[in-house]
Amino acid sequence: MDAAQPTPQLVKDSRCLTGPNLFFQQTGTVLDVSLPEVAAEQVIALWREQVQDLLDAVGWSESAPHVRGYDGGASLGFTAPTDVLYAATELNTTAWQAALAQLDGKEFDREAAVVKLTERLAKEHNPELLRLKDAAERRGVSFFHDGDRATVGLGRGSQSWEVKQLPDPEQVDWSAIHDVPTVMVTGTNGKSSSIRILAQLVKSAGLIPGLNSTENVQVGEVVLDTGDYSGPGGARMMLKDQRTEIGLLEVARGGLLRRGLGLSRTNAVLITNVTPEHLREYGIDCVEDLIAAKFVVTRALEEDGVLVLNADDAGLVEHAHTHPHPATLCWFSQNPDNPVLREHLAQGGRGCFTNNGQLIYAVGDQRQALLAVNDIPCTMQGAAIHNISNCLGVVGLAKALNFKTDTVIQGLTSFRSDASDNPGRGNLLDVGGVQVLIDYAHNVHGFEALTHLAKHLSAKRRLVMFGQVGSHTHAEICAMTESVARLKPERVVITEILGHLRGSQPGEIPEVIHQELRRQGIPEQVISKSIDGLEGTKIAMQWAESGDLLILILVTKREAVMEFLLSYPP
């Protein structure tokens, strides 16, 4: 849905927003532009003037311009009907061109622009789509469309049609259409694991979960497609599948900022944590901006919805206190004396926490010990503290969905951190007496959690294999490398990730890692380099002896590595 971009030296991105987003609740369009500080206010004022003039000319006077400034630029947008988002994006870029022309003292043919935009709007306008949308909203059921098909209701209660062959709303059997429960999970770490753990609880309840994630779109045991589907497209693919009985949506930063949410209403939301990552993209300059972006998921919460938040994350606590939300709050913490949690429970609120090795769910002064942390396989006897946190958040969601306690316990005790239940996240294999830990750690917080786990696993010697993608700063890569160095591994294998250079040069990131390892005191003779994760794994297995622990951090090549290990020795 990206439109042609004018003045490419100033415009960074022009896109449609197909759901609730960082800027407004409705669908719309946004233009990201670079602006020199000396001219920013003047250029933005000219754009406001031009875009309002064009909005008035096409009959959209009620759609007010929206500006979100950031360091070195701004996001310029406005709301627009869902059937004409391409035309809205063209109107926005036209207004920008007009503003630049006015700034430069050049002529701009307004009359020709209005004629062109009016023709584009008339061609794109779909009154049947809007009537179906209005009919669904009047009946309190969800509506969405993905360009080709329109859907009312969700999952088992949904029905879809080709956008060009929509029914008369009065002929639709609305008695058969309804929404299924949904939850959204976002945060920097733990999204995929939390979604998968919750899916296990859903199965324990005898229901069919649908989930979209960075790995795939899946309904029950059926994988609809593989790839990164953590954006609105994956959510809608899953939610229009009539087998879905509960929808579990992983909401990642990229899709949220590019397109908005895939759904405008949900029953519960979990925000796992927020740490600095991928800053300077889409006008997100600092962790406070990133937290605000993650909190966009709360725009979709129903009035009686539940917002589950990590009380051990200071940024989430601060944002929740300065931006209060009407939803019911459920705080979770690994510290039973966490002051935010204690105050919330004292006021009669909900909370999840661990105490004396037990996982506790509480409402006010009522405490319910669910089970021992060590009885949850994915916590690895409590060593995987990140999965303890994930389980606490999932319990908050499960209780929001009114799951029975027995169902929660059954789901948590049957979920295993292996390649079947949670591929690529904390998978521990025994390969001929060599322990192999495979993980997807991809930021500083993830590396710290993984190295904490590795320290608690018995090992004669340790090897760490890792690389990083080019979207991280050198400082972030050095911080991850420092976490590895604190393990004092007997061997380190640095991998290149050529498919994810993202602006860096081949060999650049491995060299940054190499130099930081040396700076941290890792001897030169124990460091190796490999072209990818598969070659690095082969190097690791050639070095390994029975009793060793190999920590393989894989962003890519996971399937090939698993196949190699499961057939080892060749």
Side-chain angles (χ1 to χ4, degrees), residues 429-441:
L429 312 175
D430 186 313
V431 183
V434 177
Q435 297 298 301
V436 181
L437 178 63
I438 296 176
D439 199 80
Y440 178 66

Side-chain angles (χ1 to χ4, degrees), residues 70-82:
Y70 51 85
D71 186 20
S75 297
L76 314 174
F78 54 87
T79 60
T82 188

Side-chain angles (χ1 to χ4, degrees), residues 30 221 276 278 383:
V30 69
E221 303 304 321
H278 301 300

Side-chain angles (χ1 to χ4, degrees), residues 1-3 5 12-24 26-32 75 85 89 213-214 227-234 236 250-262 278 281-284 293 296 502:
M1 284 190 172
D2 294 328
Q5 298 184 358
K12 296 191 291 185
D13 191 52
S14 178
R15 61 192 185 276
C16 303
L17 298 169
T18 63
N21 52 79
L22 183 60
F23 311 102
F24 25 76
Q26 304 99 313
T27 56
T29 181
V30 69
L31 188 71
D32 288 331
S75 297
L85 293 181
T89 302
S213 69
T214 52
D228 187 348
Y229 277 104
S230 56
R236 291 165 183 160
E250 178 177 340
V251 182
R253 170 203 57 87
L256 188 155
L257 292 172
R258 281 193 299 270
R259 297 290 184 236
L261 299 177
H278 301 300
E281 295 181 5
Y282 298 105
I284 303 300
V296 167
R502 298 176 185 174

